[in-house]
Amino acid sequence: MQKQPLKKVHEIFWKLITAPEGVEEGLRQFPEIQIEDWFKGDEKLSPTRRLNIYANMYFWRIHDAIKEDYPEVFEKIGEKNWNNLMTDYLLRHPSDTPYLQYVGKYLPIFLKESPLSQKWPELYDLALLEWEKAMLFEAKEASTISIEDLQKIDIAKWPHLRFEFVPAFKLIETSKKDCIRIWRKDHAVFHKIISKEESVALNEALAKKPFSDICEKIGDAEKAARFLADWVEGGLIQKMLL
Amino acid sequence: MGLRPPHYSHLLENKTQVDWFEIISENYMMEGGRPLAVLDKLREKYPIVMHGVSLSIGSTDKIDFDYLKKLRRLAERIQPAWITDHLCWTGFGGHNAHDLLPLPYTEEAVANTVERIEKVQDFLGRSIGLENVSSYIEYRHATMPEWEFLTEVANRADCGILLDVNNIYVSSVNHRFDPSTYIQNVPADRVWQYHLAGHSDYGDYLLDTHDHPIIDPVWKLYHETIRTIGLRSTLIEWDDHIPEFSVLEAEAEQARGYAKTAA
Ligand SMILES: [Fe+2]
């Protein structure tokens, strides 16, 4: 009998259970091996059928996990498209993480190039938003400042104020150049499409520019103060720096 | 009992009969969020055991030390009674199947697994426990039965065993061996914990699905196990179609009943 080194055993097993058309098709990659020399079967279940149990579990477990992160994408394209999408996706992006919940991280980018986006041009934006929201659920906790904390600051010092945002906050840009801010408060995640002005102000603040720069950039100090109050109330800011 | 998200609110608001909880480590290895916050709260009231699915201890890939760092950080945070994973491999070439794949029961696989367990135990600064998995295929070139493989690995790596009684039953049907032989040949002093679970019967084979109540033959095998090996902390696994908490408590009560008659 030929020798079956462990690494080769793993390679063959892996390639057979991840073959997109099933184990039998996967076997064509290994013309040199006789499956019965490697795996046992019996009259009830051949080695191929036994390996197909693993192939099915591989596909469906990941399929279901990614579906959980993208319920709206799934809803939009329907089950049949989704199943085909998952087959193609796993071929291009087999899981490179020990965490099942991150296997779908490349889906937004993958959708951008998918023919499905010709029929549904909004797919990339939808997927990106769903992914970023899922990620915020598990971002690091941080304490936040309140409106009262802000009001305690001497008005003369306001121009020098800089801000540190909480980890559970993200600003994303859609393919149509809309800006969306996503944040988590009390373990719930929210999102809001914001105005061009607010996104300019936010980007300044995120770059740790002082409040005077933010006002100058949008040319309206009162509006800048309103944005700031909104961010504080949403629990976006963990610290003020002077 | 296994800690699962559908029961979070119930557990935070109610007193339970549960002695301790087992968590799936990978579901809590993030920076923050509700699962971790709930875990911190429950840890104040209950002992916790960490049970992972991605260690891939029998793999031929490089050991993933980034994963181990996160695992160690979680252990430092919640101070688990013990840490377990599975005696299996989960991926190849840097890719992950997110499934518990069976190892060939050979001397080469024993040596490879033992070497990796030693490295992991060194890194974590503690012994780990490994669980026998359900399997659907066996290798032609295997040179020993599964129980011998498990025993060899545990003795040589000096690690613990998490004995899953349902997995023994499922594999014994799928590969036609006598589950009693398995139980009689496991080193009792290495067994830290038991798992019980339900499975699905597909006619030609049994599939370990954790979405059904425990069947009678598995209860019987559990009874035999605790008479042969002794009483150990026992966990009932539900991962799909998770029922209300009271249903799980009733199953746990049944396990306690068996323990009393075996004592
Ligand atoms: Fe188990």
Side-chain angles (χ1 to χ4, degrees):
Chain A
M1 200 193 291
Q2 71 200 98
K3 201 163 158 34
Q4 289 103 338
L6 187 58
K7 199 165 187 148
K8 187 75 181 169
V9 170
H10 284 167
E11 184 191 352
I12 291 173
F13 199 115
W14 172 262
K15 287 188 175 163
L16 293 181
I17 67 166
T18 57
E21 308 284 341
V23 172
E24 253 154 40
E25 181 254 0
L27 265 171
R28 280 189 223 121
Q29 302 168 68
F30 301 103
E32 76 280 13
I33 78 150
Q34 287 294 322
I35 192 165
E36 291 80 11
D37 290 344
W38 291 72
F39 303 102
K40 280 192 205 166
D42 56 21
E43 69 288 353
K44 274 204 304 189
L45 279 174
S46 66
T48 311
R49 273 196 65 204
R50 287 172 181 268
L51 284 165
N52 263 320
I53 298 172
Y54 286 100
N56 281 323
M57 284 196 295
Y58 166 73
F59 180 75
W60 290 106
R61 179 172 288 127
I62 295 178
H63 169 287
D64 291 353
I66 301 181
K67 195 168 110 182
E68 249 178 62
D69 280 333
Y70 297 98
E72 288 184 37
V73 172
F74 175 78
E75 183 86 0
K76 180 136 286 191
I77 67 176
E79 185 146 15
K80 196 164 168 259
N81 283 320
W82 178 265
N83 292 351
N84 291 334
L85 174 68
M86 285 301 104
T87 305
D88 296 342
Y89 178 74
L90 278 181
L91 264 183
R92 174 88 74 87
H93 299 289
S95 169
D96 57 8
T97 162
Y99 313 97
L100 186 54
Q101 63 268 35
Y102 303 150
V103 183
K105 71 179 154 200
Y106 306 110
L107 195 69
I109 285 291
F110 189 73
L111 277 170
K112 211 174 205 171
E113 292 153 21
S114 157
L116 291 170
S117 281
Q118 277 155 27
K119 185 163 177 201
W120 293 285
E122 68 278 31
L123 277 185
Y124 168 78
D125 291 340
L126 198 56
L128 182 69
L129 182 61
E130 292 199 291
W131 179 253
E132 295 295 351
K133 284 176 89 168
M135 287 303 96
L136 278 206
F137 272 105
E138 55 182 65
K140 200 170 180 171
E141 314 286 338
S143 54
T144 55
I145 63 160
S146 66
I147 288 287
E148 291 73 41
D149 296 329
L150 191 61
Q151 285 163 346
K152 273 184 224 148
I153 306 284
D154 181 354
I155 204 91
K157 287 182 180 161
W158 271 57
H160 311 291
L161 268 185
R162 289 174 297 118
F163 309 97
E164 199 171 305
F165 285 75
V166 296
F169 158 70
K170 187 133 191 199
L171 189 60
I172 60 170
E173 196 182 66
T174 69
S175 54
K176 286 176 282 179
K177 304 286 171 210
D178 283 332
C179 279
I180 303 180
R181 71 166 152 94
I182 317 172
W183 71 101
R184 184 180 78 199
K185 197 178 184 188
D186 301 330
H187 295 308
V189 174
F190 305 92
H191 75 273
K192 184 185 174 191
I193 301 178
I194 57 173
S195 64
K196 197 85 224 155
E197 271 176 319
E198 184 175 348
S199 77
V200 169
L202 255 180
N203 275 314
E204 286 290 293
L206 281 167
K208 298 254 170 72
K209 298 282 176 58
F211 188 65
S212 56
D213 280 22
I214 300 173
C215 297
E216 200 179 307
K217 199 92 181 184
I218 64 171
D220 187 337
E222 218 170 283
K223 206 176 236 175
R226 272 207 306 278
F227 288 150
L228 179 60
D230 217 18
W231 303 338
V232 170
E233 235 155 341
L236 271 53
I237 295 177
Q238 58 171 326
K239 246 189 230 156
M240 290 178 287
L241 310 163
L242 266 173
Chain B
M1 208 164 283
L3 180 60
R4 301 290 181 268
H7 299 135
Y8 283 169
S9 302
H10 177 87
L11 294 174
L12 290 173
E13 286 155 23
N14 297 281
K15 274 207 171 123
T16 73
Q17 299 292 309
V18 180
D19 305 312
W20 52 283
F21 283 101
E22 183 183 85
I23 58 165
I24 301 294
S25 311
E26 288 79 3
N27 293 347
Y28 299 87
M29 284 161 73
M30 59 278 276
E31 301 264 345
R34 182 157 187 257
L36 258 187
V38 171
L39 180 61
D40 284 340
K41 272 248 144 49
L42 293 176
R43 181 66 187 92
E44 292 166 11
K45 290 195 270 180
Y46 303 95
I48 302 278
V49 162
M50 279 167 55
H51 183 53
V53 292
S54 292
L55 183 61
S56 201
I57 200 71
S59 169
T60 44
D61 281 1
K62 275 193 235 140
I63 291 180
D64 183 346
F65 281 99
D66 184 55
Y67 169 84
L68 284 180
K69 261 183 222 158
K70 290 188 175 134
L71 190 70
R72 189 169 66 184
R73 202 186 308 150
L74 181 63
E76 281 160 2
R77 179 177 186 136
I78 64 156
Q79 299 291 319
W82 56 76
I83 301 175
T84 61
D85 203 290
H86 299 81
L87 183 55
C88 69
W89 62 292
T90 66
F92 176 78
H95 294 131
N96 210 312
H98 301 282
D99 196 5
L100 310 169
L101 307 173
L103 285 163
Y105 305 134
T106 62
E107 174 52 37
E108 185 195 9
V110 170
N112 178 64
T113 308
V114 166
E115 192 190 321
R116 290 168 66 94
I117 296 171
E118 284 167 348
K119 284 183 183 152
V120 168
Q121 292 185 147
D122 272 355
F123 187 86
L124 295 176
R126 64 199 295 164
S127 291
I128 57 168
L130 291 173
E131 174 182 354
N132 59 300
V133 298
S134 282
S135 74
Y136 313 102
I137 198 160
E138 290 180 310
Y139 297 88
R140 181 67 66 196
H141 62 295
T143 54
M144 60 188 101
E146 186 185 322
W147 53 87
E148 203 178 308
F149 181 76
L150 174 67
T151 303
E152 243 340 78
V153 167
N155 284 341
R156 273 160 63 176
D158 193 16
C159 72
I161 293 173
L162 162 48
L163 202 62
D164 188 312
V165 177
N166 178 61
N167 287 348
I168 294 177
Y169 180 79
V170 166
S171 294
S172 77
V173 172
N174 290 342
H175 309 308
R176 301 181 194 184
F177 62 76
D178 175 14
S180 300
T181 312
Y182 196 125
I183 280 153
Q184 283 152 20
N185 283 286
V186 169
D189 57 337
R190 294 212 173 268
V191 177
W192 294 355
Q193 185 192 333
Y194 299 128
H195 269 176
L196 287 169
H199 59 255
S200 302
D201 188 343
Y202 284 81
D204 288 340
Y205 62 95
L206 304 184
L207 193 68
D208 179 36
T209 44
H210 298 180
D211 61 351
H212 283 76
I214 299 156
I215 63 164
D216 274 343
V218 173
W219 279 121
K220 273 204 190 109
L221 192 59
Y222 175 63
H223 201 197
E224 189 186 331
T225 305
I226 55 183
R227 271 181 291 139
T228 310
I229 293 175
L231 295 175
R232 301 287 187 279
S233 304
T234 300
L235 176 106
I236 297 165
E237 298 180 286
W238 277 89
D239 289 305
D240 232 333
H241 310 127
I242 299 175
E244 278 192 26
F245 200 73
S246 55
V247 177
L248 303 190
E249 283 193 303
E251 272 197 321
E253 200 42 56
Q254 202 174 341
R256 282 193 196 99
Y258 278 105
K260 273 184 200 131
T261 62

